[in-house]
């Protein structure tokens, strides 16, 4: 069974520095800072500044340590990230990422393919076992749940569950925030299927594609890579996406567009995003310092302020480190009127769902997802740069 949000019991943070045989380990911070500063630079990839508060985190890291950060392809999806590190094995290439942030299943496959290097942060013990690789090759930093983001200026009757999306009220209205190379879209289809399968995880991917096939036949599904622009202008007034992105849109568009955020009654799926260091990192010490920063109190609270659920939230709450002003943000993740606790799919369940959906989408659903401008996205089954017209894809 998946790891559920109401079962998050984390051990106390490991404040002592840990040593692990045969791998890089968290060393004295002053030495790590010195070696990172000597490298002077860090290259990140696929970190939109409005995603989970990453803009604040990036700027905070630069201000604290004085390193230059090269921000590659901020809107790339997880598959594109993995493809980039697979190809970028030249340490002198400025397009070689040092660190990555991808869906859990993508991190696992990257480890198997030898694309990552191990490292365990000082707060390693405060990361739940289900959200990290035992050998330190990847670790989940934050999570959210799949929700419906609705333009309430256009849609007056709110959908409350996945089956509602098939209503005539939602013709030409429902979009996915990403194509099938993105973890976000795959988890959305999985969540829809989990609802249709009444919690049957093994059949969720197949059932999810059947639901989207029905939406496509009825003319409700809009096969474009949806985003806040398509939400506002009415091309996808119902957008299926991570709740923290929807919450960010609601704040940003307050006074311009009325946005309602609906967590479905069933099929509530939470997704962990994993961080890791590339095996070919040109700046390995800067990469380790970045990872230390992401799992520090400062950055974990920045994730929370960016509407994401930080992986160390239980540890932070237990130690009284969550400021009173962020209490309302935490409340957004506690049930929120849903009838079901979120399911955290296991790594094996995610990998199985990814394979089923990416291979079966075109045959079952019969809709090729396009870029917002109408050009082909190269999805569902093409994950490399040979695809013509690849558009920016959220994770």
């Amino acid at each position: 069974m998946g790891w559920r949000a109401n079962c998050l019991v984390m051990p106390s943070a490991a404040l002592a520095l840990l040593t692990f045989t045969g791998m890089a380990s968290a060393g004295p911070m002053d030495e790590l800072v010195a070696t990172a500063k000597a490298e002077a630079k860090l290259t990140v990839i696929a970190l939109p500044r409005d995603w989970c508060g990453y803009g604040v985190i990036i700027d905070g890291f630069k201000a604290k340590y004085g390193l230059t950060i090269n921000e590659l392809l901020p809107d790339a999806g997880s598959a594109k990230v993995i493809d980039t590190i697979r190809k970028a094995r030249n340490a002198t290439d400025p397009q070689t990422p040092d660190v990555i942030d991808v869906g859990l299943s993508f991190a696992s496959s990257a480890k198997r393919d030898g694309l990552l290097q191990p490292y365990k942060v000082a707060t390693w013990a405060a990361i739940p076992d289900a959200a990290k690789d035992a050998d330190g090759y990847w670790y989940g930093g934050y999570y959210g749940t799949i929700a419906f983001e609705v333009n309430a200026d256009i849609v007056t009757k709110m959908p409350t569950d996945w089956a509602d999306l098939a209503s005539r009220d939602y013709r030409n209205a429902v979009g996915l925030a990403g194509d099938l190379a993105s973890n976000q879209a795959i988890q959305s289809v999985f969540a829809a299927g989990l609802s249709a399968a009444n919690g049957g995880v093994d059949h969720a991917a197949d059932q999810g594609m059947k639901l989207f096939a029905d939406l496509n036949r009825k003319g409700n599904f809009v096969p474009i890579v949806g985003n806040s622009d398509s939400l506002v202008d009415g091309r996808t007034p119902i957008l299926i996406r991570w709740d923290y992105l929807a919450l960010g849109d609601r704040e940003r568009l307050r006074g311009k567009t009325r946005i309602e955020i609906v967590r479905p009654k069933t099929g509530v799926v939470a997704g962990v995003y994993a961080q890791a260091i590339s095996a070919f990192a040109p700046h390995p010490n800067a990469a380790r310092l970045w990872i230390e920063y992401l799992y520090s109190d400062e950055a974990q609270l920045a994730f929370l302020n960016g509407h994401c659920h930080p992986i160390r939230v239980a540890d932070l709450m237990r130690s009284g480190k969550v400021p009173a002003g962020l209490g309302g943000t935490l409340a957004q993740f506690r049930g929120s009127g849903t009838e079901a606790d979120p399911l955290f799919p296991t790594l094996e369940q995610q990998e199985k769902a990814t394979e089923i959906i990416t291979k079966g989408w075109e045959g079952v659903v019969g809709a090729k997802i396009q870029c917002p401008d109408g050009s082909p996205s190269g999805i569902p089954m093409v994950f490399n740069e040979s695809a013509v017209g690849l558009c920016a894809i959220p994770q």
Side-chain angles (χ1 to χ4, degrees):
M1 294 299 294
W3 162 46
R4 293 183 178 272
N6 60 339
C7 296
L8 273 176
V9 180
M10 302 184 191
S12 299
L15 298 180
L17 299 176
L18 309 177
T19 302
F20 296 85
T21 305
M23 64 176 293
S25 176
M29 278 299 293
D30 55 349
E31 293 181 16
L32 181 59
V33 170
T35 54
K37 285 185 173 182
E39 292 173 348
K41 185 176 180 180
L42 175 75
T43 299
V44 301
I45 186 170
L47 298 184
R49 285 182 156 262
D50 59 353
W51 180 288
C52 262
Y54 258 123
V56 171
I57 291 170
I58 290 170
D59 291 342
F61 181 80
K62 289 193 291 188
K64 189 166 189 173
Y65 298 113
L67 276 69
T68 298
I69 297 186
N70 180 22
E71 300 175 46
L72 295 178
L73 304 173
D75 295 315
S78 294
K80 177 66 175 176
V81 171
I82 300 304
D83 192 50
T84 301
I85 63 171
R86 189 187 306 279
K87 292 177 178 179
R89 296 172 183 248
N90 182 355
T92 63
D93 186 346
Q95 302 304 302
T96 300
D98 291 300
V99 289
I100 63 172
D101 179 301
V102 294
L104 215 58
S105 62
F106 292 90
S108 176
S109 64
K111 176 192 173 182
R112 286 197 302 268
D113 293 344
L115 303 178
L116 308 178
Q117 60 177 279
Y119 179 76
K120 293 185 178 181
V121 295
T123 53
W124 177 258
I127 305 171
D129 290 344
K132 64 188 177 187
D133 173 65
D135 297 320
Y137 281 87
W138 53 260
Y139 8 74
Y142 58 89
Y143 63 89
T145 61
I146 295 293
F148 306 153
E149 181 179 1
V150 184
N151 182 335
D153 291 330
I154 296 174
V155 178
T156 56
K157 180 182 178 181
M158 294 295 121
T160 62
D161 210 349
W162 292 95
D164 297 344
L165 299 179
S167 168
R168 295 180 189 176
D169 296 317
Y170 307 129
R171 295 252 324 156
N172 297 311
V174 181
L176 286 169
D179 62 25
L180 278 252
S182 71
N183 182 55
Q184 183 172 206
I186 289 170
Q187 295 303 318
S188 297
V189 177
F190 179 86
L194 189 67
S195 174
N198 295 319
V201 176
D202 291 341
H203 303 290
D206 290 309
Q207 290 296 321
M209 287 193 292
K210 288 180 180 178
L211 185 145
F212 275 90
D214 184 47
L215 296 182
N216 191 45
R217 281 193 300 270
K218 292 178 176 177
N220 291 18
F221 180 58
V222 183
I224 66 170
V225 178
N227 54 32
S228 58
D229 290 340
S230 65
L231 177 86
V232 170
D233 65 25
R235 284 174 293 165
T236 59
I238 300 175
L239 192 58
I240 303 169
R241 72 186 323 184
W242 294 119
D243 55 1
Y244 46 82
L245 298 179
L247 288 163
D249 282 349
R250 187 170 67 183
E251 274 194 4
R252 183 172 55 84
L253 297 170
R254 197 179 303 277
K256 299 176 183 177
T257 302
R258 287 193 305 119
I259 291 178
E260 295 286 345
I261 301 168
V262 179
R263 290 179 177 84
K265 292 181 178 178
T266 60
V268 183
V269 170
V272 175
Y273 274 84
Q275 289 71 48
I277 301 174
S278 169
F280 319 111
H283 315 100
N285 292 300
R288 291 164 189 151
L289 184 60
W290 169 255
I291 295 297
E292 290 287 355
Y293 184 69
L294 289 184
Y295 291 84
S296 69
D297 294 352
E298 181 179 338
Q300 288 281 294
L301 290 173
F303 280 136
L304 179 59
N305 198 42
H307 302 297
C308 287
H309 211 121
I311 207 68
R312 290 184 51 229
V313 65
D315 181 48
L316 293 169
M317 291 179 68
R318 185 167 49 247
S319 59
K321 293 180 179 178
V322 178
L326 289 180
T329 301
L330 274 174
Q332 295 172 136
F333 296 93
R334 295 173 182 163
S336 302
T338 63
E339 296 177 0
D341 290 323
L343 170 74
F344 285 79
T346 66
L347 183 56
E348 292 74 20
Q349 289 165 350
Q350 290 188 53
E351 290 179 330
K352 179 181 177 182
T354 298
E355 181 177 9
I356 290 171
I357 294 167
T358 55
K359 290 183 177 179
W361 176 271
E362 190 168 347
V364 175
V365 180
K368 288 191 175 182
I369 300 176
Q370 305 288 314
C371 295
D373 62 3
S375 62
S377 71
I379 300 303
M381 292 185 290
V382 179
F383 298 108
N384 55 52
E385 294 182 288
S386 65
V388 177
L390 273 173
C391 55
I393 305 166
Q395 293 179 319

